[in-house]
Amino acid sequence: MKNDKSFAIFSDGACRGNPGPGAWGMVGQDSSGAVLFKGSGVETNTTNNRMEMIGALEAMKSLKGHGINLSESKVFLYSDSKYVVDGMKSWVSGWKSRGWKKADKKTPENVDLWKELDTIANCFENIQYIWVKGHAGHPQNELCDQLANEALDDSGF
């Protein structure tokens, strides 16, 4: 990140069984690398894709709620979920143009969360979605994974 108006948010999801109990973790940093926030949450019956999406959603919500001028900021969202990254970069605009339908006229899976992600993403003037390989030593991705798994452990899963 090149200037003091840049922020990075990181997210991950985990599931023990798919479907099964799941959790998400997220972290936000400013351009100096200082951690602005981190968090996690658990759902008792969910899927890995939903947890990946909720992690990204909660990271965006946390950054938005942090009092940052979103119209002047550049935001980078890092996720190890191609589902989230490809969805936000490529799929959502087409679904929206077809009334939240895929090309085959079926409703996308997890459309409730896609709509929420789209709504919050529209609050950001400049957001980029970046895929990182999971479980490959990326420090913030590993932290998000740790937060999600600790939340599952703490909840007895």
Side-chain angles (χ1 to χ4, degrees), residues 39-107:
S40 61
V42 173
E43 290 195 13
T44 57
N45 188 25
T46 189
T47 64
N48 193 68
N49 280 344
R50 288 188 70 81
M51 292 296 89
E52 296 283 0
M53 294 173 77
I54 291 174
L57 180 64
E58 292 298 327
M60 285 192 264
K61 284 181 182 177
S62 292
L63 185 60
K64 182 178 180 231
H66 214 69
I68 293 159
N69 184 340
L70 301 177
S71 65
E72 296 179 3
S73 302
K74 187 166 194 159
V75 177
F76 302 89
L77 183 137
Y78 295 84
S79 174
D80 65 4
S81 170
K82 288 191 177 190
Y83 183 66
V84 169
V85 172
D86 290 348
M88 294 305 291
K89 284 171 110 173
S90 303
W91 307 336
V92 166
S93 61
W95 294 338
K96 278 176 59 174
S97 70
R98 291 185 293 271
W100 289 99
K101 298 290 182 186
K102 299 186 297 183
D104 64 4
K105 300 194 179 3
K106 293 181 181 175
T107 302

Side-chain angles (χ1 to χ4, degrees), residues 101-121:
K101 298 290 182 186
K102 299 186 297 183
D104 64 4
K105 300 194 179 3
K106 293 181 181 175
T107 302
E109 287 187 27
N110 303 309
V111 71
D112 58 327
L113 293 177
W114 287 118
K115 287 179 178 180
E116 278 191 74
L117 279 165
D118 180 57
T119 297
I120 191 133

Side-chain angles (χ1 to χ4, degrees), residues 3-21:
N3 66 53
D4 61 352
K5 294 181 183 177
S6 295
F7 300 90
I9 51 180
F10 306 87
S11 64
D12 195 18
C15 226
R16 295 187 179 162
N18 196 22

Side-chain angles (χ1 to χ4, degrees), residues 142-156:
E142 296 293 338
L143 176 56
C144 291
D145 182 68
Q146 178 184 341
L147 291 168
N149 278 291
E150 285 175 353
L152 282 166
D153 292 344
D154 292 347
S155 296

